[in-house]
Amino acid sequence: MLNLQQAADVVLVAAFGDRMPMTSVLALCLLALVASAEDSKLSSHATMLADNSANLAFSLYHNMVKDKGTENILISPVVVASSLGVVAMGGKASTASQVKTILRADNLKDEHLHAGLSELMSEVSDANKRNTTWTISNRLYGPSSVVFADAFVKNSKKHYNYDHSKINLKDKKSALNSINEWAAKSTNGKLPEVTKDMPNADGAMLVNAMFFKPHWDDKFNEQMVDNRGFQVTRSFTVGIQMMHRTGLYDFHEDTKNRLFALNMPLGQKQASMIIVMPYYLEPLERLEKLLTREQVDTWISKMENKAVAISMPKIGIEVSHNLQKHLADLGLTEAVDKAKADLSNISGKKDLYLSNVFHASALELDTMGNPFDTSIFGSEKLRNPKLFYVDHPFIFLVKDNKSGAILYIGRVVRPKGDKMRDEL
């Protein structure tokens, strides 16, 4: 198979050098396109890690919902996997091998792990290919006494786009301000705060600061936005803006489990936001018990393309999680243990452990997207649409359609808004 450049060269020679017949030139153009598609395929290592990070999504989500104090959840499994790669790069022996176990990549060589995760992140976050905003900034903070090894700094930047910073952890207030200011700046003010507290301020910290704004494949009409209520509980409703549109979507109603599932394509259909919502207001525990990768795949397989009238919150939320405990629960026990951690590839000494893993995102849902197809308006296709009225807590996933990776998984339980009224 020719690579893309070789195919392009052949086409140019054919068209301008040898003056081949146009049919032959067209055939070679097709060859170039095939070569381009071939070039864009993910490696087997990246494909495997995309698949495994999707499994990590559900394991991590289910661990997090055990914390009854958590309302909104917003995590990027591919970014978490990438941060785990940094831990593996900085670790030795079982501290590093635990990462491979969590990622189900025990048989991968180190170089394939790092190259595969790097390739995956480059693919799913490429702003030039994807018409969706996703800014990702990563930083490893170490105490002011640490000396970062040159090789680690170089390779963690190369593969994982991680910056490095020394910080005076003894001055907790100053350290917190520094981290939050960095996060705000790196997200253009969309994420004003990563954390109010810094437990165990004596080790290395991984910080992800992100801003995600879906660009719908069919935009909402910006003039069809009004004020509505979002029911957090039966006695608590907040005022939000709601956006509306009717269009053709992949949709499934699971009557047995009393829920709706909707697939909303993003950008140029490279990814989709899948929303799972109970019929009526109820705590999400029942749905979360159903939530497995296999069940989501089943819902998707049963979807049918039909007319759906969507009413969707036009909201922005900021969510930050400290994943240190949750990753430990999934098997990352050594890196987070001051007495056992061997992260000596970071500094050349066994002087660090993973004290915090701050994972913070701002999510913005608004009307922006591609121009909608007006030809279907007034047609039979849009008659008797299904209603999808998102005015109570829901679960969502953002899934990459090429790799199968889950870019985000989360739930919206309480959007920002003023209390509207008490309900009986």
Side-chain angles (χ1 to χ4, degrees):
M1 176 64 71
L2 297 175
N3 65 33
L4 181 58
Q5 186 59 55
Q6 290 170 330
D9 290 344
V10 169
V11 171
L12 287 172
V13 169
F16 299 108
D18 295 339
R19 301 187 182 275
M20 267 188 182
M22 185 53 67
T23 53
S24 298
V25 173
L26 290 174
L28 286 167
C29 287
L30 180 60
L31 176 61
L33 290 174
V34 171
S36 175
E38 189 75 21
D39 285 352
S40 67
K41 283 186 178 179
L42 290 175
S43 70
S44 60
H45 308 308
T47 300
M48 185 191 80
L49 289 163
D51 188 63
N52 293 352
S53 68
N55 293 321
L56 174 65
F58 293 93
S59 299
L60 188 55
Y61 183 91
H62 282 293
N63 192 274
M64 294 177 71
V65 298
K66 295 176 184 178
D67 185 349
K68 299 304 180 184
T70 301
E71 292 183 325
N72 300 329
I73 291 177
L74 187 57
I75 51 174
S76 173
V78 288
V79 173
V80 173
S82 183
S83 293
L84 286 170
V86 173
V87 177
M89 180 175 284
K92 289 183 178 180
S94 52
T95 300
S97 65
Q98 284 185 346
V99 171
K100 289 185 176 181
T101 300
I102 294 172
L103 294 176
R104 302 185 184 184
D106 296 277
N107 296 326
L108 270 191
K109 295 180 179 179
D110 288 351
E111 58 266 31
H112 294 154
L113 174 72
H114 303 312
L117 287 171
S118 177
E119 182 186 353
L120 175 61
M121 279 305 305
S122 296
E123 168 66 29
V124 300
S125 62
D126 189 338
N128 293 324
K129 293 181 180 178
R130 294 164 182 268
N131 201 5
T132 284
T133 300
W134 192 16
T135 60
I136 307 168
S137 296
N138 305 305
R139 180 168 282 189
L140 185 148
Y141 285 92
S144 50
S145 59
V146 73
V147 177
F148 294 118
D150 291 342
F152 174 78
V153 169
K154 177 183 176 181
N155 290 323
S156 57
K157 178 69 175 177
K158 172 186 174 183
H159 290 293
Y160 299 109
N161 200 27
Y162 254 81
D163 291 327
H164 310 80
S165 180
K166 291 192 278 189
I167 193 169
N168 182 8
L169 296 173
K170 294 179 180 179
D171 186 348
K172 185 178 286 190
K173 182 178 180 180
S174 176
L176 285 171
N177 288 339
S178 178
I179 292 170
N180 290 329
E181 287 173 4
W182 165 77
K185 183 178 180 180
S186 63
T187 58
N188 292 317
K190 297 294 185 179
L191 187 68
E193 185 177 80
V194 166
T195 182
K196 288 183 170 64
D197 191 22
M198 192 186 304
N200 308 317
D202 60 349
M205 293 184 294
L206 301 180
V207 186
N208 309 127
M210 293 168 284
F211 170 56
F212 187 77
K213 182 177 181 179
H215 187 99
W216 309 112
D217 187 55
D218 287 307
K219 70 178 183 179
F220 288 78
N221 190 329
E222 56 270 15
Q223 295 179 344
M224 293 180 64
V225 177
D226 54 12
N227 295 318
R228 300 285 179 101
F230 187 97
Q231 293 182 282
V232 178
T233 66
R234 294 191 181 278
S235 61
F236 190 81
T237 299
V238 296
I240 60 167
Q241 286 192 310
M242 194 82 82
M243 50 192 183
H244 314 273
R245 81 173 306 271
T246 299
L248 297 175
Y249 291 93
D250 289 342
F251 176 86
H252 174 61
E253 179 179 355
D254 185 338
T255 55
K256 177 182 177 182
N257 291 307
R258 306 186 306 281
L259 59 86
F260 301 112
L262 179 73
N263 185 322
M264 298 182 69
L266 307 183
Q268 304 299 332
K269 297 186 179 180
Q270 302 104 326
S272 296
M273 178 175 280
I274 299 159
I275 300 174
V276 182
M277 181 180 69
Y279 281 174
Y280 309 107
L281 171 67
E282 64 172 277
L284 289 176
E285 283 87 344
R286 181 180 68 83
L287 263 66
E288 287 168 340
K289 288 179 181 177
L290 298 172
L291 193 68
T292 63
R293 185 175 180 181
E294 293 73 23
Q295 181 62 71
V296 170
D297 287 342
T298 297
W299 286 327
I300 292 173
S301 71
K302 291 183 177 181
M303 287 180 175
E304 296 179 3
N305 193 254
K306 59 182 61 181
V308 183
I310 301 172
S311 291
M312 182 98 168
K314 183 178 182 290
I315 55 173
I317 61 173
E318 300 90 42
V319 186
S320 183
H321 306 287
N322 190 346
L323 299 181
Q324 191 231 36
K325 172 183 175 297
H326 301 297
L327 292 174
D329 289 343
L330 295 184
L332 195 73
T333 57
E334 287 199 9
V336 302
D337 189 324
K338 193 173 183 178
K340 296 180 180 178
D342 184 353
L343 296 173
S344 53
N345 280 337
I346 296 179
S347 65
K349 302 177 183 178
K350 288 181 67 174
D351 56 350
L352 291 173
Y353 77 110
L354 196 59
S355 58
N356 294 286
V357 181
F358 293 117
H359 187 81
S361 287
L363 171 69
E364 194 171 288
L365 303 179
D366 73 2
T367 60
M368 292 180 62
N370 301 328
F372 38 72
D373 180 7
T374 56
S375 68
I376 65 171
F377 292 165
S379 71
E380 289 292 316
K381 292 180 180 180
L382 293 187
R383 292 192 63 182
N384 302 317
K386 292 286 186 179
L387 299 181
F388 193 77
Y389 193 75
V390 188
D391 71 338
H392 53 279
F394 60 94
I395 297 168
F396 70 93
L397 304 94
V398 179
K399 185 176 181 181
D400 181 61
N401 293 328
K402 177 179 176 180
S403 67
I406 294 176
L407 311 187
Y408 271 101
I409 185 171
R411 68 184 184 190
V412 176
V413 171
R414 183 172 179 168
K416 289 184 292 186
D418 295 328
K419 183 178 179 180
M420 288 184 65
R421 64 186 183 276
D422 289 328
E423 298 179 352
L424 296 177

